[in-house]
Amino acid sequence: GEHFGISKILAREPSRMPPTIRSMSQSHVPGLPLHSWTTEFSVGVSLSQMSVPGLEARFALLKVFNGLVQRVLPLVDLRMLEHKQEMAHMLARSKGLIFPHIKSELFNKTVSKSAEAGEAPHVTLNRGTHTADRRRKERTLFMQLMQHVDKNCCKLIKLTDKSGNKMSWVVSFEGEGGSDYGGLYRDSIREMSAELQCESTQGLQLFLPCPNQRFAAGSNQDKWLPNPSSRSEQHLNMYRFVGKLMGACVRANAPIELDFPGLVWKRIVGEECTFADIAAVDEAFGKDVEQLRGISSQDEWEQKGRTWRVRSLSGRMIDLVPGGRKVAVAWEERDAYMHDMVRLRLAECAAQVEAMKEGIQAVVPGIALPLFTWRELEVRVCGMPVIDVDKLEKLTNYENFSASARHPVAVMFWNVVRGMSDEDRGSLLAFTWGKRRMPAQNSGAQFKLRFTQGMGDSHMPVSHTCFFQLDLPNYSGEEVMREKLLYAIRCCSAIDNDSRAGGTLYESDDEGTRGEETQEDEDD
């Protein structure tokens, strides 16, 4: 708060609330337990087992509680989160009971008050001839932007607004046409997220696929974790910049596609990580610990032949004590061994995540972040991971369609989209606005579907990523539309292919070339 000069909005020092309000406890709000930071709010009984009157009473109580919170929240000193007797701490513990719009209203106010006047920095980036997953570290867009920001001492707090599109930086791609009205900006974010989440040994190597992804086992196989081996000061500065990117995306309502598990998000919002968070991304580790816990005899334990070492998140074997690989774990030491196994796993990425948190708080005020659950923050930063076609349809404006959504071409379009795989739906969003995720709720983004009457089956669909717009020809049938649309979204990767031969791309003997690229999109 002090860093952004907005402490008066979020803090009262000392708190001037009446003692009866300051000391509100569980007894003052029957049925609304102030749950531990280590867990999500648990209702105890499945809602499906409750009667309709019981549900109505519960919801009425939640509304009363949130009405009180909404009135009291502006008076609470949120800097006192660590003090258990303070209202700030109690509210943070009850974060799962507070309606999201109440927290968002407070957070949006802090972000708005901390904004700086002026234009966002202009940056020229070179994508080269490689796709994001094959670029060398020094040629990634991430490193180019980081160097520009550091060199020019940019805070990524200023925003440029063009046609309703807010941008934390304005992009030009060398050798490519197009003016940035939001599309190039979002495309740069999408490419940087791809650079961060790839396994290339020549790339950034800041994040690794979680064990479940590597072993193709269990859930959360799409998640990535900070690399425990990347812990030098240079690496930590890079993690701080990842955090700055996340904060900048929150400011501009431009989701960044980062697939982190709760193990990461919980640390950022101040929730305690537990063994369950590790098991969620490493099923084999979780089963191993549970199996060890179930051993009831010394003979069975000794048959396991355990030594004082453990596999890390990256797959490396680490000694828990000096020379641990040669030291057997005694029966009497089994609890200490399992405790140390879990503790190591919980601490492996702590420094990297803390650096990311510092980066976020350098761009958006962090004083209100602990009021969000980790899932709420994930959606705020990354947008909705699941592409809900019904929600996308509700976000759609129609142009040149005589009967809007009932026009035959519009009906065909939504039938085609509903028949797509999740991967293709993500590609459709990337084709039309440069992001593979749905816009964050209340971001104001609108999908524009435009009918081009004079074009037919021989024409391709055209996107305008700056305006989240798709132009559809007057196709004769669903199969034709499906073929044309799938080709466009799967094969078009450049904003403007016409200028890519301008001689300004990286050229090197050790760099391969992309396959044929086609794009009928001009990012106006």
Side-chain angles (χ1 to χ4, degrees):
E2 297 291 349
H3 176 67
F4 288 95
I6 58 169
S7 58
K8 291 183 180 180
I9 300 171
L10 299 174
R12 297 291 184 270
E13 184 180 356
S15 177
R16 302 184 185 279
M17 292 182 290
T20 54
I21 297 179
R22 290 188 65 196
S23 62
M24 181 186 289
S25 65
Q26 182 174 335
S27 61
H28 290 83
V29 190
L32 298 179
L34 298 176
H35 63 288
S36 168
W37 285 40
T38 61
T39 60
E40 302 278 353
F41 170 59
S42 174
V43 296
V45 178
S46 171
L47 294 179
S48 63
Q49 299 175 5
M50 296 182 66
S51 65
V52 173
L55 289 171
E56 291 174 344
R58 188 180 188 84
F59 181 63
L61 190 57
L62 282 172
K63 288 179 67 176
V64 171
F65 172 72
N66 277 271
L68 291 172
V69 170
Q70 195 164 23
R71 290 194 294 272
V72 168
L73 196 54
L75 306 176
V76 178
D77 186 348
L78 292 178
R79 295 172 301 182
M80 307 298 288
L81 284 167
E82 301 301 323
H83 299 269
K84 293 184 178 181
Q85 300 305 315
E86 288 291 333
M87 178 67 74
H89 183 81
M90 296 179 184
L91 288 175
R93 291 176 61 197
S94 304
K95 63 175 72 177
L97 302 176
I98 303 174
F99 293 156
H101 77 272
I102 294 176
K103 293 179 276 191
S104 293
E105 181 181 345
L106 175 68
F107 185 73
N108 291 342
K109 184 184 294 186
T110 67
V111 171
S112 176
K113 290 291 184 180
S114 63
E116 292 186 359
E119 293 293 310
H122 288 248
V123 58
T124 299
L125 304 176
N126 194 322
R127 289 198 262 205
T129 56
H130 268 321
T131 52
D133 60 335
R134 296 183 61 197
R135 294 184 189 123
R136 291 201 298 270
K137 175 181 175 180
E138 64 275 10
R139 293 184 174 177
T140 58
L141 301 191
F142 177 88
M143 290 301 297
Q144 292 178 55
L145 181 62
M146 179 179 171
Q147 290 164 4
H148 177 91
V149 168
D150 289 346
K151 180 180 179 181
N152 295 279
C153 300
C154 304
K155 296 181 181 179
L156 299 183
I157 294 176
K158 299 177 181 179
L159 293 175
T160 292
D161 191 326
K162 290 187 178 182
S163 302
N165 292 308
K166 295 180 180 179
M167 297 175 282
S168 297
W169 56 87
V170 180
V171 180
S172 295
F173 287 118
E174 288 188 25
E176 302 180 41
S179 297
D180 194 2
Y181 282 81
L184 304 185
Y185 168 66
R186 289 190 293 270
D187 205 41
S188 69
I189 294 174
R190 179 169 58 89
E191 293 226 13
M192 282 187 281
S193 67
E195 292 170 345
L196 288 166
Q197 298 179 148
C198 74
E199 297 185 69
S200 171
T201 56
Q202 294 184 332
L204 296 168
Q205 293 189 294
L206 292 178
F207 297 94
L208 299 175
C210 72
N212 281 359
Q213 183 180 158
R214 293 202 307 272
F215 303 138
S219 58
N220 297 310
Q221 292 187 32
D222 59 337
K223 302 303 182 186
W224 295 74
L225 290 162
N227 187 347
S229 300
S230 299
R231 54 181 180 267
S232 68
E233 189 56 39
Q234 181 187 25
H235 285 129
L236 294 180
N237 283 333
M238 294 169 71
Y239 284 112
R240 289 186 190 96
F241 190 68
V242 172
K244 290 179 181 179
L245 289 181
M246 295 164 69
C249 289
V250 169
R251 277 194 175 275
N253 282 322
I256 182 169
E257 302 153 30
L258 296 174
D259 295 305
F260 299 148
L263 197 62
V264 172
W265 297 109
K266 281 188 174 183
R267 289 189 182 278
I268 294 175
V269 296
E271 296 179 22
E272 184 179 346
C273 295
T274 66
F275 166 73
D277 296 310
I278 302 172
V281 292
D282 192 347
E283 184 180 74
F285 179 83
K287 288 182 177 180
D288 182 45
V289 173
E290 290 296 344
Q291 187 181 49
L292 293 178
R293 285 175 174 172
I295 295 177
S296 57
S297 69
Q298 182 172 350
D299 289 342
E300 186 180 359
W301 176 267
E302 291 177 350
Q303 287 175 7
K304 288 289 183 181
R306 287 303 179 106
T307 59
W308 283 90
R309 64 188 326 224
V310 65
R311 176 175 54 83
S312 72
L313 286 169
S314 64
R316 293 190 308 115
M317 298 302 295
I318 297 177
D319 289 346
L320 295 172
V321 298
R325 70 187 65 187
K326 298 179 180 179
V327 181
V329 180
W331 167 250
E332 298 78 10
E333 299 171 323
R334 65 190 186 283
D335 288 338
Y337 170 68
M338 287 183 279
H339 176 271
D340 287 354
M341 286 173 65
V342 175
R343 184 178 62 177
L344 172 76
R345 283 297 194 89
L346 289 174
E348 273 190 288
C349 305
Q352 291 87 338
V353 177
E354 184 61 29
M356 291 165 58
K357 182 177 179 179
E358 292 172 7
I360 294 174
Q361 294 178 342
V363 179
V364 296
I367 193 169
L369 287 181
L371 293 180
F372 287 100
T373 67
W374 71 266
R375 293 187 185 277
E376 289 170 341
L377 180 64
E378 179 185 23
V379 172
R380 187 93 191 196
V381 174
C382 303
M384 299 296 293
V386 177
I387 299 171
D388 188 319
V389 178
D390 291 334
K391 287 184 179 180
L392 182 61
E393 190 172 3
K394 290 177 181 178
L395 290 174
T396 302
N397 291 327
Y398 299 88
E399 183 177 323
N400 298 338
F401 287 93
S402 57
S404 297
R406 297 186 300 277
H407 189 283
V409 173
V411 172
M412 282 194 295
F413 172 76
W414 291 115
N415 287 340
V416 169
V417 174
R418 284 187 169 84
M420 288 179 175
S421 65
D422 286 336
E423 178 69 21
D424 284 333
R425 288 175 189 168
S427 298
L428 173 65
L429 287 184
F431 181 70
T432 53
W433 85 309
K435 304 294 295 177
R436 297 186 63 88
R437 288 180 182 251
M438 287 278 288
Q441 193 171 14
N442 302 322
S443 68
Q446 292 284 315
F447 177 43
K448 186 175 181 181
L449 199 60
R450 186 168 68 177
F451 179 51
T452 52
Q453 178 67 51
M455 298 182 179
D457 290 353
S458 62
H459 294 85
M460 295 292 292
V462 175
S463 68
H464 305 268
T465 57
C466 286
F467 306 107
F468 198 2
Q469 177 178 317
L470 179 67
D471 297 347
L472 280 177
N474 187 15
Y475 292 123
S476 60
E478 231 173 82
E479 285 305 314
V480 177
M481 179 183 288
R482 180 178 290 106
E483 178 186 351
K484 298 289 187 180
L485 194 55
L486 289 178
Y487 181 85
I489 65 178
R490 291 172 179 175
C491 301
C492 302
S493 58
I495 292 293
D496 180 358
N497 194 47
D498 295 337
S499 301
R500 293 186 66 82
T504 56
L505 303 180
Y506 287 123
E507 295 180 358
S508 174
D509 292 339
D510 61 344
E511 288 201 273
T513 58
R514 293 185 186 180
E516 181 180 354
E517 294 174 337
T518 306
Q519 173 89 330
E520 294 207 21
D521 168 19
E522 286 189 16
D523 201 357
D524 300 316

